């Protein structure tokens, strides 16, 4: 049966709901808009950018190189992932930042995802994770709501060398975006001593005017042999660590549940138990988004699943194990809370 509701983690108020915006960092309403391109040879791209300091109405200027250390985290039962996010803690230029990155893009032609960030104190990897557990900002509060009492574990780590270029308008110093040439080395958990290496070019927009940056991305594809990647960095990182995220469908709260197959030999108790197992799987898929507290639909879907579980216990109580039937009052209390 689903766990008892935690009084210490109430559903957040609507005031925390995200605002609309565009940008690569900052508060709860920020969005990351970037073109991600697989690059067989970063040197070719770097030479092209150095030779084309003026292209498509933009000035391209080199920026200092950066070295990034990323740690991706989740609970053992993938609560952050099932809530629709990847959780990253990044150390860069002496600063540490926790980020929740939306797993789904709002557009097919470009990665347009929600991004929520919060600064953390500097320290080693374990200290960063402890600092995240205590953080009171937009990332820390959401992670606690979603994870509950479940501890965070490290999924994988990435060390990235990043060559950067600023894309500015020719007529002003206004930044249109940033071009990053990344060589990312992923930690391995399958006995390989050599890390998995990924080379990517990313063009991240700095504001709502993205047409010039999009034209630049198309030109880089045509002249430098770049192409949209088959996998994003998060998927590559999971594969490098020999991890497989859960494959859960999007439940439709209004859809009627698919009934287990039965035949004349099916016992009533087996039918009821199969229905409860399927509903429990659906509950586990819906719970993280409901804990996040930002979607009325997710909360409604969780309530609907709970009511269906209660209906099975009521209709088939005489055919189910007594210990399972005795859990019904606990389920009804949880439904009242929801």
């Amino acid at each position: 049966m689903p766990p008892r509701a935690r009084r210490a983690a109430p559903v957040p108020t609507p005031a925390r709901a995200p605002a609309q915006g565009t940008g690569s960092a900052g508060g709860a309403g920020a969005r990351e808009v970037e073109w991600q391109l697989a690059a067989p040879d970063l040197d070719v791209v770097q030479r092209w950018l150095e030779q084309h300091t003026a292209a498509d109405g933009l000035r391209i200027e080199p920026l200092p190189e950066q070295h990034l250390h990323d740690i991706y985290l989740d609970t053992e039962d993938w609560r952050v992932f099932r809530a629709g996010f990847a959780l990253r803690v990044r150390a860069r230029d002496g600063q540490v930042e926790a980020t929740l990155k939306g797993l789904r893009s709002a557009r097919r032609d470009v990665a347009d995802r929600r991004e929520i960030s919060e600064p953390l104190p500097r320290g080693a990897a374990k200290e960063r994770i402890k600092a995240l557990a205590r953080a009171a900002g937009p990332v820390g509060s959401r992670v606690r709501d979603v994870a509950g009492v479940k501890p965070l574990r490290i999924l994988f780590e990435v060390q990235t060398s990043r060559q950067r270029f600023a894309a500015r308008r020719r007529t002003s110093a206004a930044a249109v975006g940033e071009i990053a040439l990344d060589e990312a080395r992923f930690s391995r958990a399958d006995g390989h001593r050599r890390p998995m290496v990924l080379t990517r070019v990313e063009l991240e927009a700095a504001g709502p005017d993205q047409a010039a940056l999009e034209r630049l991305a198309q030109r880089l594809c045509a002249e430098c042999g770049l192409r949209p990647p088959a996998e994003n960095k998060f998927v590559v990182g999971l594969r490098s660590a020999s991890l497989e995220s859960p494959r859960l469908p999007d439940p439709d709260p209004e859809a009627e549940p698919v009934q287990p197959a039965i035949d004349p030999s099916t016992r009533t108790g087996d039918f009821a138990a199969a229905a409860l197992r399927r509903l429990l799987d659906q509950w586990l898929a819906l719970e993280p988004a409901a804990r996040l507290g930002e979607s009325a639909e997710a909360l409604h879907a969780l309530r609907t699943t709970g009511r269906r579980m209660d209906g099975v216990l009521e209709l088939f109580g005489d055919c189910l194990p007594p210990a399972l039937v005795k859990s019904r009052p606990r389920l009804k209390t949880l439904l009242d809370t929801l």
Side-chain angles (χ1 to χ4, degrees):
M1 298 301 297
R4 186 183 301 272
R6 296 187 306 112
R7 295 182 182 272
V11 174
T13 63
R16 205 187 66 178
Q20 295 300 317
T22 302
S24 60
R31 297 195 69 83
E32 177 190 56
V33 179
E34 67 179 8
W35 286 261
Q36 300 176 349
L37 304 171
D41 191 340
L42 289 177
D43 290 338
V44 171
V45 183
Q46 183 170 350
R47 287 195 297 269
W48 191 97
L49 292 171
E50 292 171 345
Q51 294 168 3
H52 295 76
T53 56
D56 297 308
L58 299 175
R59 288 186 294 114
I60 299 175
E61 303 172 355
L63 295 172
E65 182 180 2
Q66 287 182 336
H67 296 279
L68 318 176
H69 179 206
D70 295 336
I71 302 172
Y72 284 80
L73 306 164
D74 207 332
T75 63
E76 193 69 32
D77 56 354
W78 300 90
R79 292 191 177 192
V80 178
F81 178 89
R82 290 189 281 118
F85 290 96
L87 174 58
R88 182 190 72 197
V89 175
R90 166 169 289 179
R92 171 182 56 190
D93 297 335
Q95 303 297 320
V96 178
E97 184 179 61
T99 300
L100 285 167
K101 297 174 70 71
L103 294 172
R104 294 182 179 176
S105 175
R107 297 160 56 185
R108 290 187 176 183
D109 58 327
V110 63
D112 181 352
R113 300 168 299 190
R114 189 174 176 202
E115 186 173 272
I116 309 167
S117 297
E118 177 180 357
L120 296 177
R122 288 182 288 180
K126 290 184 178 180
E127 280 70 31
R128 296 178 214 163
I129 298 173
K130 290 179 181 179
L132 175 60
R134 299 189 298 266
V139 175
S141 60
R142 283 172 170 81
V143 170
R144 281 193 297 277
D145 286 340
V146 171
V149 297
K150 296 288 186 179
L152 295 172
R153 57 165 177 158
I154 295 178
L155 301 177
F156 58 89
E157 298 185 46
V158 192
Q159 298 278 357
T160 303
S161 297
R162 170 169 286 180
Q163 299 286 344
R164 299 184 302 143
F165 294 81
R168 307 184 189 278
R169 295 199 174 281
R170 285 191 189 181
T171 56
S172 70
V176 174
E178 181 174 298
I179 308 162
L181 281 58
D182 287 352
E183 182 179 87
R185 298 178 177 270
F186 293 80
S187 59
R188 300 294 291 268
D190 52 6
H192 289 268
R193 300 180 65 181
R194 300 179 61 183
M196 181 180 292
V197 179
L198 186 72
T199 53
R200 288 279 167 87
V201 174
E202 297 181 352
L203 296 87
E204 183 172 349
D209 187 4
Q210 302 155 12
L213 205 62
E214 182 174 11
R215 291 193 298 271
L216 180 59
Q218 294 170 349
R219 190 169 174 186
L220 285 172
C221 288
E223 300 183 24
C224 297
L226 308 185
R227 65 186 185 282
E231 299 175 318
N232 61 36
K233 286 183 179 178
F234 184 69
V235 173
V236 174
L238 292 181
R239 182 157 50 84
S240 75
S242 300
L243 293 172
E244 185 175 353
S245 58
R247 298 177 179 273
L248 298 173
D250 292 330
D252 180 358
E254 302 300 333
E256 289 299 319
V258 177
Q259 298 297 338
I262 59 173
D263 59 46
S265 65
T266 301
R267 298 176 56 191
T268 305
D270 293 339
F271 170 83
L276 284 175
R277 281 194 295 270
R278 179 184 48 76
L279 289 168
L280 180 58
D281 288 342
Q282 188 173 2
W283 177 285
L284 293 175
L286 291 165
E287 182 184 344
R291 281 178 174 270
L292 188 62
E294 296 182 347
S295 167
E297 290 78 11
L299 186 61
H300 171 67
L302 193 66
R303 287 201 305 265
T304 299
T305 300
R307 287 197 297 269
R308 287 168 175 167
M309 295 170 74
D310 183 60
V312 173
L313 291 172
E314 180 182 16
L315 290 171
F316 301 101
D318 293 340
C319 307
L320 291 167
L324 188 60
V325 178
K326 287 180 180 179
S327 68
R328 189 183 174 204
R330 181 180 176 185
L331 174 61
K332 293 180 75 67
T333 299
L334 184 56
L335 283 171
D336 289 341
T337 303
L338 293 176

